[in-house]
Amino acid sequence: MAAAALTSQLNALVNNMFAMGLLDDQFQQLQMLQDSTAPDFVSEVVTLFCDDGERIICELSRQLEKPNVDFDRVDSYVHQLKGSSASVGAQKVKNTCIQFREFCQQRSRDGCLKTLDLVRTEFYDLRNKFQAMLQLEQQIQACYPKH
Amino acid sequence: MAAAAQAPAAAKVVVATSPRAGGGGGGGGDRKVVPVVVAAAAGDEAQSEMHVLAVDDSSVDRAVIAKILRSSKYRVTTVESATRALELLCLGLVPNVNMIITDYWMPGMTGYELLKRVKESSQLKEIPVVIMSSENVPNRISRCLEEGAEDFLLKPVRPSDVSRLCSRIR
């Protein structure tokens, strides 16, 4: 496929992510920071976010399965996920983390489990879209001869 | 136009990696310092470059803050914990640090404790310390400023916050 077609596909994907509220303007800030000194900046940060998020979600499931849940520990993991989400502009995941922390404060295991399901769904949906985005970017780059 | 690699600026990046533990500080993490990854940056700025030590336990946040600072022509060293930062500073492994920018909440030593330790040290106290936090807690902010923090930035940090800092420091 020609670069132009791939580029419009990429733009449509990203615009849709904004329209769906998955991303907020922090993501645009990251896009603006990408320059010739760091041409892969956005994809590096997105990859760090995906790895970090996956690790935290696994850890949260493990913590909430325990017979005696340590809610402070759960809260500190949710705090980490909220931080990474805010930094990449993953608005929806970030907002769910805010709810999640309320359930931690209420020491509500049911609330935490329900919110974990929600945040997991949102995170993996976002991760799939990020991966599609990175794949398109690679395909676009491959259209141009290397310097 | 395959220009031969220009003399890279002294953009030294020391990344100390350690698996991020959920809680509990100290011990553990491997002490590996992956030294001196030379990043290409505008060569002409090398002389006037300010060196910033950025401290954050989140790999995502480290990447973002480092890029923002580099875009403002700072030279950046990132570390993943306050303990590591203090170690590097006290051993003189990151000489000529013009500013420390640290996350507030980290497992083990917090950014607030790091601030206090820096301000207590006759050797380090002149270095401006900027605290970042995702939570807008007025008490926390005033406590940091009372302890001598140069500024308090809310996360996610934006390029505009750093340009504001840039114009003030030095």
Side-chain angles (χ1 to χ4, degrees):
Chain A
M1 208 187 299
L6 289 166
T7 305
S8 69
Q9 210 180 323
L10 175 64
N11 289 339
L13 173 66
V14 176
N15 288 340
N16 183 256
M17 290 167 83
F18 279 108
M20 304 276 287
L22 298 182
L23 298 177
D24 62 25
D25 64 338
Q26 174 66 16
F27 188 75
Q28 282 169 317
Q29 299 267 335
L30 299 186
Q31 289 177 309
M32 285 191 286
L33 280 167
Q34 181 159 301
D35 56 20
S36 58
T37 66
D40 299 320
F41 174 65
V42 173
S43 81
E44 281 165 18
V45 173
V46 161
T47 305
L48 286 171
F49 167 75
C50 291
D51 294 350
D52 208 35
E54 191 165 25
R55 178 186 64 79
I56 296 170
I57 286 172
C58 284
E59 193 55 51
L60 282 169
S61 320
R62 202 171 316 150
Q63 292 293 330
L64 288 169
E65 272 167 19
K66 291 186 180 175
N68 293 310
V69 175
D70 178 347
F71 286 99
D72 291 332
R73 204 174 163 91
V74 171
D75 185 60
S76 86
Y77 282 112
V78 181
H79 174 79
Q80 287 177 20
L81 184 58
K82 179 179 156 253
S84 322
S85 310
S87 294
V88 288
Q91 178 173 240
K92 212 165 178 180
V93 172
K94 181 191 77 179
N95 289 339
T96 305
C97 287
I98 294 171
Q99 289 173 31
F100 202 150
R101 295 195 72 186
E102 281 169 23
F103 286 118
C104 290
Q105 259 130 49
Q106 294 165 19
R107 304 286 191 252
S108 159
R109 184 191 188 138
D110 284 349
C112 283
L113 283 169
K114 245 188 258 169
T115 326
L116 174 61
D117 281 343
L118 181 62
V119 88
R120 188 188 286 117
T121 308
E122 289 172 354
F123 171 78
Y124 283 105
D125 176 43
L126 178 63
R127 196 183 72 159
N128 288 341
K129 293 195 162 91
F130 271 148
Q131 282 170 345
M133 185 184 96
L134 298 184
Q135 216 167 18
L136 281 167
E137 277 175 0
Q138 276 172 5
Q139 287 172 323
I140 293 166
Q141 269 171 24
C143 292
Y144 297 101
K146 289 224 162 68
H147 293 288
Chain B
M1 190 180 81
Q6 288 172 346
K12 189 171 70 171
V13 186
V14 182
V15 182
T17 47
S18 114
R20 180 142 59 103
D30 62 307
R31 282 290 151 99
K32 196 168 47 182
V33 175
V34 183
V36 202
V37 178
V38 178
D44 20 316
E45 319 279 344
Q47 283 318 79
S48 61
E49 257 178 355
M50 295 251 302
H51 187 189
V52 182
L53 179 63
V55 191
D56 202 308
D57 61 314
S58 154
S59 57
V60 176
D61 288 0
R62 278 200 301 280
V64 173
I65 190 69
K67 181 67 185 86
I68 293 178
L69 289 163
R70 287 188 186 117
S71 297
S72 294
K73 307 290 179 229
Y74 286 105
R75 190 156 68 91
V76 188
T77 299
T78 59
V79 290
E80 83 299 339
S81 74
T83 318
R84 184 75 185 134
L86 208 55
E87 210 170 77
L88 291 178
L89 289 165
C90 291
L91 295 175
L93 292 173
V94 278
N96 308 319
V97 170
N98 304 91
M99 179 167 81
I100 299 166
I101 184 161
T102 178
D103 185 31
Y104 179 89
W105 182 248
M106 291 179 285
M109 189 191 290
T110 65
Y112 177 68
E113 288 165 64
L114 174 64
L115 164 72
K116 289 214 288 193
R117 297 286 285 273
V118 167
K119 294 300 158 188
E120 277 162 18
S121 154
S122 54
Q123 179 199 350
L124 304 173
K125 68 178 179 201
E126 301 301 329
I127 306 175
V129 179
V130 175
I131 309 269
M132 307 175 283
S133 172
S134 57
E135 278 148 309
N136 191 355
V137 183
N139 232 349
R140 180 181 290 183
I141 299 174
S142 54
R143 238 174 5 127
C144 290
L145 297 176
E146 275 163 27
E147 286 294 338
E150 182 68 29
D151 206 344
F152 191 100
L153 302 180
L154 272 180
K155 281 178 153 187
V157 173
R158 298 177 158 243
S160 55
D161 299 325
V162 171
S163 353
R164 188 161 50 84
L165 264 183
C166 210
S167 58
R168 263 213 347 250
I169 307 264
R170 194 168 66 172

